[in-house]
Amino acid sequence: STQSTWGTGDALAQLCGPEPWDIQRLGRMGMWAGLVSAPVSHVWYNQLDVFMENWRRRLSTRSILARSSSAMVLAKIAADQLIYTPPVLALYFFAMAKLQAQSTQDALASVQAKFFDTLMTNWAVWPAVQVVTFTMVPLPLRVAFIQVVCIFWAFYMSAMAAQPQAELTPVGQIGIALSIEPQLQPAC
């Protein structure tokens, strides 16, 4: 089940992390998996396939999307990464903060501090997983396949959620963090 997948990822993250074991953290991950991740993922991936197939049928036969299964896979990945992923990541960090009884302001600050790095990591991992998902895994098995990969993703997400905001670079400060100070050259 999704709860055991996310729970396993969290347990591994806790075993590898510096903090002592936190059963409440494991419970929060289980709640996230059972109440949000499983039902939302199930509906999303089943409906995405149906939507894309219906869209392909409506396109002109001259359209590359209508003629190319590779183009349809790329369109599914783009839809998943641009429509589904950003709000789910934001909701995850917000929910984890609220489940720790943080204020709404602190929960929003957590989203702001953790969202960008997590989204960039997501984009480095999930498109490759999705190529396999959409080209090799039958529709009824897609959620199960993704949940296996989610053990490792849950490990990462759990570690990110547990990381103090002070250790992260807020999105608004990325330009500052990447700027290069001019170096003074010695006079010759």
Side-chain angles (χ1 to χ4, degrees), residues 54-185:
N54 289 337
W55 188 45
R56 184 190 63 76
R57 285 186 192 140
R58 283 186 253 152
L59 292 173
S60 161
T61 56
R62 293 181 303 204
S63 167
I64 190 166
L65 281 174
R67 292 180 287 129
S68 169
S69 62
S70 297
M72 284 303 283
V73 167
L74 292 176
K76 286 179 188 181
I77 292 169
D80 187 68
Q81 292 300 306
L82 299 173
I83 297 168
Y84 173 78
T85 298
V88 169
L89 289 179
L91 180 59
Y92 171 80
F93 290 121
F94 186 82
M96 289 299 113
K98 290 303 285 180
L99 287 171
Q100 294 177 64
Q102 293 182 18
S103 70
T104 300
Q105 184 176 357
D106 288 344
L108 291 172
S110 177
V111 171
Q112 183 180 10
K114 299 172 182 179
F115 177 81
F116 183 78
D117 287 342
T118 306
L119 185 62
M120 293 300 104
T121 302
N122 175 86
W123 286 347
V125 171
W126 283 102
V129 170
Q130 290 172 322
V131 166
V132 172
T133 302
F134 294 135
T135 60
M136 303 168 109
V137 181
L139 179 60
L141 301 175
R142 286 183 185 166
V143 171
F145 172 75
I146 288 169
Q147 291 307 319
V148 170
V149 177
C150 272
I151 290 174
F152 302 102
W153 185 247
F155 176 99
Y156 171 77
M157 292 295 288
S158 175
M160 280 298 287
Q163 193 171 16
Q165 292 176 31
E167 295 178 13
L168 299 168
T169 303
V171 174
Q173 294 179 6
I174 290 197
I176 296 168
L178 296 177
S179 67
I180 299 172
E181 295 290 324
Q183 299 295 318
L184 296 175
Q185 298 294 327

